[in-house]
Amino acid sequence: MTTIRVRFVGADKYRDFQVDTATAEHVVAQLTDPNAVLTFTDEYGTTHVPVRGITYITVRTA
């Protein structure tokens, strides 16, 4: 399992998303396109955010 930690523009906290490796690779590949929209799902629901709406992101594998 892979953890993606994201901080969105205007947010005061980070959010962690647990994803499989293929999803993590897909997210990382999209980061070079400022017009891409990433979709994250966690216990709070589904979040759609443009890449330019992310101020911080890390990807950690277990």
Side-chain angles (χ1 to χ4, degrees), residues 16-59:
D16 290 337
F17 300 93
Q18 302 297 319
V19 299
D20 58 39
T21 302
T23 300
E25 290 173 356
H26 179 71
V27 167
V28 170
Q30 289 187 2
L31 292 176
T32 59
D33 179 4
N35 296 316
V37 177
L38 301 178
T39 301
F40 298 101
T41 302
D42 64 5
E43 67 271 12
Y44 302 110
T46 301
T47 302
H48 303 280
V49 63
V51 168
R52 64 175 62 114
I54 296 173
T55 59
Y56 175 87
I57 189 167
T58 61
V59 179

